[in-house]
Amino acid sequence: MTTTEAQNGRPATAILLVHGPLREGLAASLTGFVYRNTGHIVYHDQYVDREKQLYFTRLEWGLPGFAVPREEIGERLNAAVAEPFGVRWRLHFSDDIPRMAIFVSKLPYCLYDILGRCRSGEWKVEIPLIISNHPELEPVAKRFGIAFHCFPITPANKRAQEQKELALLRKNGIEFIVLARYMQILSGDFVAAYPDAIINIHHAFLPSFPGPQPYHAAYQRGVKIIGATSHYVTEHLDAGPIIEQDVIRVSHLHTVEDLIRMGRDLEKVVLARAIWHHIQRKILAYGGRTVIFG
Amino acid sequence: MTTTEAQNGRPATAILLVHGPLREGLAASLTGFVYRNTGHIVYHDQYVDREKQLYFTRLEWGLPGFAVPREEIGERLNAAVAEPFGVRWRLHFSDDIPRMAIFVSKLPYCLYDILGRCRSGEWKVEIPLIISNHPELEPVAKRFGIAFHCFPITPANKRAQEQKELALLRKNGIEFIVLARYMQILSGDFVAAYPDAIINIHHAFLPSFPGPQPYHAAYQRGVKIIGATSHYVTEHLDAGPIIEQDVIRVSHLHTVEDLIRMGRDLEKVVLARAIWHHIQRKILAYGGRTVIFG
Amino acid sequence: MTTTEAQNGRPATAILLVHGPLREGLAASLTGFVYRNTGHIVYHDQYVDREKQLYFTRLEWGLPGFAVPREEIGERLNAAVAEPFGVRWRLHFSDDIPRMAIFVSKLPYCLYDILGRCRSGEWKVEIPLIISNHPELEPVAKRFGIAFHCFPITPANKRAQEQKELALLRKNGIEFIVLARYMQILSGDFVAAYPDAIINIHHAFLPSFPGPQPYHAAYQRGVKIIGATSHYVTEHLDAGPIIEQDVIRVSHLHTVEDLIRMGRDLEKVVLARAIWHHIQRKILAYGGRTVIFG
Amino acid sequence: MTTTEAQNGRPATAILLVHGPLREGLAASLTGFVYRNTGHIVYHDQYVDREKQLYFTRLEWGLPGFAVPREEIGERLNAAVAEPFGVRWRLHFSDDIPRMAIFVSKLPYCLYDILGRCRSGEWKVEIPLIISNHPELEPVAKRFGIAFHCFPITPANKRAQEQKELALLRKNGIEFIVLARYMQILSGDFVAAYPDAIINIHHAFLPSFPGPQPYHAAYQRGVKIIGATSHYVTEHLDAGPIIEQDVIRVSHLHTVEDLIRMGRDLEKVVLARAIWHHIQRKILAYGGRTVIFG
């Protein structure tokens, strides 16, 4: 399904993410590349890290009528911009539907939220499969007609199970993974296979309360606001680049049980926003932080 | 299913909502009624409107071991408290599962959200049926195994269709109704049949932007924050007692389409909180406003 | 004090705000103008209204070493960019300290907040005078060593008093005016003398509750969130382009007096943010809305 | 100034804070004590920690016409309630104006904010003196006519200087202390002299980023929301019971300097709310957390 046909009546677009050293002429060179090839720009956002003198941009233009065939765009970009200016880039096409896997354990609410959004047409995304270390949520997968694979994890089998998971993901052409309250720490090897492509939801306002049972810890500390954090997974637990956070006010009246209940809505929304930014190709992660284009 | 058996391992409770003129001895009389009959209070919240000298309370106590059989509690309360102090009350039992009907039109996301929450075990509520004026969402109802009834509405048939709906609701023992983006104005007669028992979600921060297309109006006005409002339905459009509101920051960068997308999450959460307060028996509506107990 | 000397150790900059029809080559023409004249860009933000095909930008570059003397920049810009592309522009220099007048009535808190911020060095702004229609706040002006002028307003003298105020403002070289809870409606003639240069704070979340006593109205309506709105003043009351809004959660527990108290902090912060954006030259008002550059 | 005269036209009240084990009859005993002595209750809020079976209440009643002279109320309370029920209490009178000292270092904005609020009549509080470890803010104190005492601190003189400060505080009848960005850690001995009576503002969302330079740390971590926290000071740095927190959304566009600027408003508001709760006698600290009555 990689064509220039319209989606929702909209022509397919090319989405280019670029970052590198700030140089005079770089922005004009990028927009010039599009204009010269008769492309129509529909989105252009730029960010400059003045301190480090770095340039970041997201440029999107219509493919119908563009003079360069899409399979040649990369090569041409290298010659016209990337090599002269020493920048790195990623190119996406809006009609390539991203293929996403969901990892879950026993808590159903993030899973229901994600599947409801997909079925409501909120996201253009394919979900070929759901992976879990427990069998409990298989009925949810079935309700939505999605394949469910259970890989129970023990210290002894972890490495082998992860290899099987990776094989399954590759076979299904999975581009990115969402950990929807998946209660297992992924190994460094696993994470290395999906750099900046595994999105986790942590049920606290990081860096407060990393690790398990953050709502209990928040209650003990007596905070007046709780939060949730979505981030890309790196080899360091709960320390990857933050994509989105949100918070809600609490008081002494709220028990730990209340915090857990109120936090669920935060988790769902904060995870959903991260997924949306990711599939819109709006995120550039660098230096432990994220640039989220507007 | 009205027994004193435990739910989630918790003993059944009686929940008493009282309001009336503020009088010395009223609070003590209420708690005394419980203690005297060997009840164990698990929740007690009070609110006093000092200006109007009104007293509001929500009192909850365990039923196991309570000396008064549940079917006699009302009569005893009248004699001991309501008549001497001239107050009004409502009594609920935590093991009576509320029966809720959902009204929808064509937009699926609030419906998915509600059904996902029910199936996740977030709420103790029964949903015997979904009513719509359009057929589009029948597959969603089916996916979750809930009866779907379609009542197309025209100016000519509105009165008759509403009567059929009311008959169906009564037959199913429906206690309250949730309008999950139902795009039809209910008649005064219909509303009168469910006083303080029809919850609507309006996709704006009322009283800003009542009526249709509030996101378009918000865009035109150039507001920097948009909101959503859940409220009990009265005969006056978008003017009933507000239960819950929430907001999200926007900017000139956001198109109307962005506002609609961002607003969906507000609508879902604001509606869900209202439903939760309602089924927890935490809401007392009076004088066009709501008291939401903590 | 219009020199290229450094402020806070920072070199003076030129700040250019441009808007007009979206055209290929416009952005490159603007940045090219700066680069060609050996200017160093320190800030560049752009916004495109895709629907109306309009382009907005804020471009800032260092003046030391810039090849064009500052008094000739405008003329050169017209020739190089504005005329060829049909755009409008405004040019500011970071070392021109804006001269601001404050209008107050009897409520002191926004005035204290503004003066405290100025004296703390938060803003680079000159305040030559405070104008009021009442004498009560003269001691506050004295405490901070600022001239205070009282112009009592009656229906009969309003026109004449406003003319005196305008003369005084002109004499003091006032560039923009802040209405810090000024309880008088300015005439259309007065407003016309300061287009997009009079900032008001309204103590409600506009368009909810325009006009007087919004906190009372909010209480009556039973809203669960209150807000404040800063906007440019136009001839239509409380209907000018919104610059900033913020909100705070309230409940049935809060009296009107509580809302007034809690709202004060909103008013102060929302007004202060608007002033800051204005003096940073970050605001472009058009079509009843504002673009606030990042 | 301890009389039963009205303040702002309001009769003086007694404010009683009680906490202890939850027992049947305790609430009725407290309200009964007031009613029996012909007191008129104007405020009554209760909180029960069900898990620990603890009861907390704030009860306020009018003093005019109350049958017990205010100097005997404590003794009578002990006999009627505290001893029989084993609870602890604190009694305040609304016409006792609290005496507050402010500690500052070099940053002026919280100081300006506090003094502006006092002079605006927002708080009923006396500020006999300001203490600093640096001389820079003396002109601010002078502008508002408040005594300024400078106690430079070195490791060698810290103990001696703190003793002088304590003597000065006692001499001035200081009841509580506000650390308005005071950049010195108070010793355990100093803190012990003012238990639950030293309010600090920390410029981060605790427990995230304790210690110095939290805005730099927040920038490095790439958080999407920053916060501020007011808390009672204990001997453990940034670990005392939290009184109030608030947050503001940030993005990759914001530099450390932006975070510092945006955070200032958070700090001011979060500190001001803590002071307001404290002087309203609305706070009970216990077990490392705070109960803030409504």
Side-chain angles (χ1 to χ4, degrees):
Chain A
M1 186 167 171
T2 305
T3 74
T4 50
E5 284 172 62
Q7 277 202 307
N8 299 329
R10 289 194 179 172
T13 57
I15 301 165
L16 180 65
L17 291 159
V18 174
H19 76 284
L22 178 64
R23 295 252 196 95
E24 182 184 338
L26 170 52
S29 165
L30 281 164
T31 54
F33 174 78
V34 177
Y35 286 132
R36 216 163 44 237
N37 292 298
T38 66
H40 175 65
I41 292 174
V42 295
Y43 176 99
H44 188 199
D45 194 11
Q46 302 170 90
Y47 162 64
V48 171
D49 183 331
R50 298 276 162 204
E51 198 193 337
K52 299 192 182 129
Q53 288 287 298
L54 294 174
Y55 176 79
F56 302 81
T57 196
R58 182 184 182 281
L59 187 63
E60 185 173 356
W61 67 91
L63 285 171
F66 192 57
V68 186
R70 61 169 79 187
E71 58 278 8
E72 293 177 23
I73 296 176
E75 194 185 333
R76 297 275 205 95
L77 263 173
N78 273 334
V81 183
E83 282 157 20
F85 288 93
V87 297
R88 302 179 59 182
W89 56 269
R90 268 169 32 215
L91 182 67
H92 301 277
F93 300 108
S94 68
D95 51 7
D96 282 340
I97 308 298
R99 295 173 71 80
M100 154 177 141
I102 309 173
F103 278 49
V104 295
S105 290
K106 296 180 179 177
L107 294 171
Y109 52 88
C110 281
L111 180 59
Y112 266 116
D113 189 65
I114 290 169
L115 299 179
R117 287 170 192 269
C118 288
R119 290 292 183 257
S120 296
E122 185 173 328
W123 299 329
K124 292 291 168 221
V125 70
E126 288 282 333
I127 306 176
L129 77 166
I130 294 167
I131 285 178
S132 182
N133 54 341
H134 293 283
E136 280 82 351
L137 298 183
E138 182 158 17
V140 182
K142 280 208 170 131
R143 187 188 292 283
F144 285 84
I146 298 175
F148 182 90
H149 301 267
C150 188
F151 293 91
I153 308 281
T154 65
N157 77 1
K158 181 164 183 167
R159 188 179 174 78
Q161 293 288 68
E162 284 194 349
Q163 290 306 315
K164 284 185 204 162
E165 289 168 354
L166 283 171
L168 189 62
L169 295 171
R170 272 185 225 109
K171 189 181 137 198
N172 280 277
I174 296 302
E175 183 194 313
F176 76 107
I177 297 166
V178 171
L179 308 184
R181 299 300 309 273
Y182 180 63
M183 304 297 200
Q184 263 289 328
I185 298 172
L186 299 171
S187 73
D189 282 354
F190 189 103
V191 172
Y194 281 93
D196 295 341
I198 306 173
I199 301 173
N200 185 42
I201 179 71
H202 183 71
H203 41 313
F205 186 73
L206 289 175
S208 289
F209 312 124
Q213 296 221 299
Y215 293 122
H216 290 77
Y219 179 86
Q220 282 303 322
R221 183 62 188 91
V223 293
K224 299 300 186 186
I225 288 173
I226 59 168
T229 304
S230 55
H231 62 93
Y232 284 127
V233 175
T234 62
E235 57 185 326
H236 303 293
L237 183 65
D238 297 333
I242 292 171
I243 303 171
E244 170 68 353
Q245 300 188 291
D246 211 341
V247 295
I248 193 168
R249 190 165 278 274
V250 297
S251 82
H252 63 276
L253 294 171
H254 296 108
T255 61
V256 172
E257 200 173 41
D258 290 326
L259 302 191
I260 291 170
R261 176 181 54 79
M262 297 164 80
R264 276 196 300 252
D265 279 352
L266 283 179
E267 295 167 38
K268 291 190 292 188
V269 168
V270 167
L271 179 55
R273 287 188 201 140
I275 294 172
W276 191 82
H277 289 310
H278 186 89
I279 62 183
Q280 294 295 108
R281 319 302 191 177
K282 295 248 181 176
I283 313 178
L284 254 174
Y286 89 108
R289 308 168 82 239
T290 58
V291 171
I292 313 279
F293 291 105
Chain B
M1 189 168 169
T2 304
T3 73
T4 50
E5 284 175 63
Q7 278 202 310
N8 300 329
R10 288 194 179 170
T13 58
I15 301 165
L16 179 65
L17 291 159
V18 174
H19 74 284
L22 180 63
R23 296 252 196 95
E24 182 183 339
L26 170 54
S29 166
L30 281 164
T31 54
F33 173 79
V34 176
Y35 285 133
R36 217 163 45 237
N37 292 298
T38 67
H40 176 65
I41 292 174
V42 295
Y43 177 98
H44 188 201
D45 194 10
Q46 302 170 89
Y47 162 64
V48 171
D49 183 331
R50 297 280 162 203
E51 198 194 337
K52 298 192 180 128
Q53 289 287 298
L54 294 173
Y55 177 79
F56 301 81
T57 195
R58 182 182 181 282
L59 187 63
E60 185 173 356
W61 68 90
L63 284 170
F66 193 58
V68 185
R70 62 168 79 187
E71 58 278 10
E72 292 176 24
I73 295 176
E75 193 185 334
R76 297 278 205 94
L77 263 173
N78 273 333
V81 184
E83 282 156 20
F85 287 93
V87 297
R88 304 178 59 182
W89 55 269
R90 268 166 35 212
L91 183 67
H92 301 277
F93 300 108
S94 69
D95 52 6
D96 282 340
I97 307 299
R99 295 173 71 79
M100 156 176 140
I102 308 174
F103 278 49
V104 293
S105 291
K106 295 180 178 177
L107 294 171
Y109 52 89
C110 281
L111 180 60
Y112 266 115
D113 188 66
I114 289 170
L115 298 179
R117 287 168 191 270
C118 288
R119 290 294 182 254
S120 297
E122 184 173 329
W123 299 330
K124 293 291 169 219
V125 70
E126 288 282 334
I127 306 176
L129 79 166
I130 295 167
I131 285 178
S132 181
N133 53 341
H134 293 284
E136 279 82 351
L137 298 183
E138 182 156 18
V140 183
K142 281 207 171 132
R143 189 187 291 280
F144 285 84
I146 298 175
F148 182 89
H149 300 267
C150 188
F151 293 90
I153 307 281
T154 65
N157 75 1
K158 180 163 184 168
R159 187 179 175 78
Q161 293 289 68
E162 283 193 350
Q163 291 307 313
K164 284 184 205 163
E165 289 169 353
L166 284 171
L168 189 63
L169 296 171
R170 273 185 223 110
K171 190 181 136 199
N172 281 277
I174 296 302
E175 183 195 313
F176 76 106
I177 297 165
V178 171
L179 308 185
R181 298 301 308 274
Y182 180 62
M183 304 296 200
Q184 263 289 327
I185 298 172
L186 298 171
S187 73
D189 281 355
F190 189 103
V191 172
Y194 279 93
D196 294 343
I198 305 173
I199 300 174
N200 185 42
I201 179 70
H202 183 71
H203 42 313
F205 186 74
L206 290 175
S208 288
F209 312 124
Q213 296 221 298
Y215 292 123
H216 290 78
Y219 179 86
Q220 282 303 323
R221 183 62 187 91
V223 293
K224 299 300 186 187
I225 288 173
I226 58 168
T229 305
S230 55
H231 62 93
Y232 285 128
V233 175
T234 63
E235 57 183 327
H236 304 293
L237 183 65
D238 296 334
I242 293 170
I243 302 170
E244 171 66 354
Q245 300 186 291
D246 211 340
V247 296
I248 193 168
R249 190 165 280 273
V250 297
S251 82
H252 64 275
L253 295 172
H254 296 108
T255 61
V256 172
E257 201 171 40
D258 289 327
L259 302 191
I260 291 170
R261 176 181 54 78
M262 296 164 79
R264 277 196 299 254
D265 279 353
L266 283 179
E267 296 167 37
K268 290 190 290 188
V269 168
V270 167
L271 179 56
R273 288 188 200 141
I275 295 171
W276 191 83
H277 288 310
H278 186 90
I279 62 184
Q280 294 296 109
R281 319 302 191 178
K282 294 247 179 176
I283 312 177
L284 253 174
Y286 89 107
R289 308 168 82 239
T290 58
V291 171
I292 313 279
F293 291 106
Chain C
M1 187 169 169
T2 306
T3 73
T4 49
E5 285 173 63
Q7 278 201 309
N8 300 331
R10 287 195 181 170
T13 57
I15 300 165
L16 179 65
L17 292 160
V18 174
H19 75 284
L22 179 64
R23 296 250 196 97
E24 183 185 336
L26 170 52
S29 166
L30 281 164
T31 53
F33 173 79
V34 177
Y35 286 132
R36 216 164 45 235
N37 293 298
T38 66
H40 176 66
I41 292 174
V42 295
Y43 176 99
H44 188 202
D45 194 10
Q46 303 170 89
Y47 162 64
V48 172
D49 183 331
R50 297 278 161 202
E51 198 194 336
K52 299 193 181 126
Q53 289 288 300
L54 295 174
Y55 176 79
F56 302 81
T57 195
R58 182 183 182 280
L59 188 62
E60 185 173 355
W61 67 91
L63 284 169
F66 192 58
V68 186
R70 61 169 79 188
E71 57 278 9
E72 293 176 22
I73 295 175
E75 193 184 333
R76 298 278 204 94
L77 263 173
N78 273 333
V81 183
E83 283 156 18
F85 288 93
V87 297
R88 303 178 59 181
W89 56 269
R90 269 167 34 212
L91 183 66
H92 301 277
F93 300 108
S94 70
D95 51 7
D96 281 340
I97 306 299
R99 296 173 70 79
M100 156 176 139
I102 308 173
F103 278 49
V104 293
S105 290
K106 296 179 177 178
L107 294 171
Y109 53 89
C110 281
L111 180 59
Y112 265 116
D113 188 66
I114 290 169
L115 299 179
R117 286 170 192 269
C118 287
R119 291 292 184 256
S120 297
E122 185 173 328
W123 298 330
K124 292 292 168 219
V125 70
E126 288 283 334
I127 306 175
L129 78 164
I130 294 167
I131 285 178
S132 182
N133 54 340
H134 293 284
E136 279 82 351
L137 297 184
E138 182 157 19
V140 182
K142 281 209 169 129
R143 187 187 292 282
F144 285 84
I146 297 175
F148 183 90
H149 300 268
C150 190
F151 293 91
I153 308 282
T154 65
N157 76 2
K158 181 163 183 167
R159 188 180 173 77
Q161 292 289 70
E162 283 193 351
Q163 290 306 314
K164 284 186 203 160
E165 289 168 354
L166 283 172
L168 187 63
L169 296 171
R170 273 184 224 110
K171 189 180 137 199
N172 280 277
I174 295 303
E175 183 194 314
F176 76 106
I177 297 165
V178 171
L179 307 185
R181 297 302 309 274
Y182 180 61
M183 304 297 200
Q184 264 289 329
I185 298 172
L186 298 172
S187 73
D189 282 355
F190 189 103
V191 172
Y194 279 93
D196 294 342
I198 306 173
I199 300 172
N200 185 43
I201 179 71
H202 182 70
H203 42 314
F205 186 74
L206 289 175
S208 289
F209 312 123
Q213 297 221 298
Y215 291 123
H216 291 76
Y219 179 86
Q220 282 303 323
R221 182 62 187 90
V223 292
K224 300 299 185 186
I225 289 174
I226 57 169
T229 304
S230 54
H231 62 93
Y232 284 127
V233 175
T234 61
E235 58 185 325
H236 304 293
L237 183 65
D238 297 334
I242 292 170
I243 303 170
E244 171 67 353
Q245 302 188 290
D246 212 341
V247 295
I248 193 169
R249 192 165 277 273
V250 297
S251 82
H252 64 275
L253 294 171
H254 295 109
T255 61
V256 172
E257 201 172 40
D258 290 327
L259 302 192
I260 291 170
R261 174 181 56 77
M262 296 163 80
R264 277 196 299 253
D265 279 352
L266 283 180
E267 295 168 36
K268 291 190 290 189
V269 168
V270 168
L271 179 55
R273 286 188 201 142
I275 295 171
W276 190 83
H277 288 310
H278 186 89
I279 63 184
Q280 294 294 110
R281 318 303 192 176
K282 294 248 180 176
I283 314 177
L284 254 174
Y286 90 107
R289 307 169 81 240
T290 58
V291 171
I292 314 279
F293 290 107
Chain D
M1 188 167 169
T2 304
T3 72
T4 51
E5 285 173 64
Q7 279 202 309
N8 299 330
R10 287 194 180 171
T13 58
I15 300 164
L16 179 65
L17 291 159
V18 175
H19 75 284
L22 178 64
R23 296 252 196 94
E24 182 184 338
L26 170 53
S29 166
L30 280 164
T31 54
F33 174 78
V34 177
Y35 286 132
R36 216 163 47 237
N37 292 299
T38 66
H40 175 67
I41 292 174
V42 295
Y43 176 98
H44 188 200
D45 193 12
Q46 303 171 89
Y47 163 64
V48 172
D49 183 330
R50 299 277 161 201
E51 198 193 338
K52 298 191 181 128
Q53 288 287 301
L54 294 173
Y55 176 79
F56 302 81
T57 196
R58 183 183 181 280
L59 188 62
E60 185 172 357
W61 67 90
L63 284 169
F66 192 59
V68 185
R70 62 169 80 187
E71 58 279 9
E72 293 176 23
I73 296 175
E75 193 184 333
R76 297 277 205 94
L77 263 173
N78 274 333
V81 183
E83 283 157 19
F85 287 92
V87 296
R88 304 180 57 182
W89 55 268
R90 271 167 32 214
L91 183 66
H92 301 277
F93 300 109
S94 69
D95 51 7
D96 283 340
I97 307 299
R99 296 173 69 80
M100 157 176 139
I102 308 173
F103 278 50
V104 293
S105 290
K106 296 180 178 176
L107 294 170
Y109 53 89
C110 280
L111 181 60
Y112 266 114
D113 188 66
I114 290 169
L115 299 179
R117 287 170 192 269
C118 287
R119 290 294 183 255
S120 297
E122 186 172 328
W123 298 330
K124 293 292 168 217
V125 70
E126 289 281 334
I127 305 176
L129 79 165
I130 294 166
I131 285 178
S132 183
N133 53 341
H134 293 284
E136 280 82 350
L137 297 183
E138 182 157 19
V140 182
K142 280 209 170 128
R143 189 188 290 282
F144 285 84
I146 298 175
F148 182 91
H149 301 267
C150 189
F151 295 90
I153 309 281
T154 65
N157 76 2
K158 180 164 183 167
R159 186 178 174 79
Q161 292 289 69
E162 283 194 350
Q163 290 306 312
K164 285 185 203 160
E165 289 168 354
L166 282 171
L168 188 64
L169 295 171
R170 274 186 222 108
K171 190 181 136 198
N172 280 277
I174 296 302
E175 183 194 313
F176 77 106
I177 297 166
V178 171
L179 308 185
R181 297 300 309 272
Y182 180 62
M183 303 298 201
Q184 264 289 327
I185 298 172
L186 299 171
S187 73
D189 282 355
F190 189 103
V191 172
Y194 280 93
D196 295 341
I198 306 173
I199 300 173
N200 186 42
I201 179 70
H202 182 70
H203 42 314
F205 186 75
L206 289 175
S208 288
F209 312 125
Q213 297 221 296
Y215 291 123
H216 290 76
Y219 178 86
Q220 281 303 323
R221 183 61 188 91
V223 293
K224 301 298 186 185
I225 289 173
I226 58 168
T229 305
S230 55
H231 62 93
Y232 286 128
V233 175
T234 62
E235 58 183 327
H236 304 293
L237 183 66
D238 298 332
I242 293 171
I243 302 170
E244 171 67 354
Q245 301 187 290
D246 213 341
V247 295
I248 193 168
R249 191 166 278 273
V250 297
S251 81
H252 63 275
L253 295 172
H254 296 108
T255 61
V256 172
E257 201 172 42
D258 290 326
L259 303 191
I260 291 170
R261 174 180 56 77
M262 296 164 80
R264 278 196 299 254
D265 279 353
L266 283 179
E267 295 168 37
K268 290 191 290 188
V269 167
V270 167
L271 179 55
R273 288 188 200 140
I275 295 171
W276 191 82
H277 288 310
H278 186 90
I279 63 184
Q280 295 294 110
R281 320 302 191 177
K282 295 247 179 177
I283 313 178
L284 254 174
Y286 89 108
R289 307 168 82 240
T290 58
V291 171
I292 315 280
F293 291 106

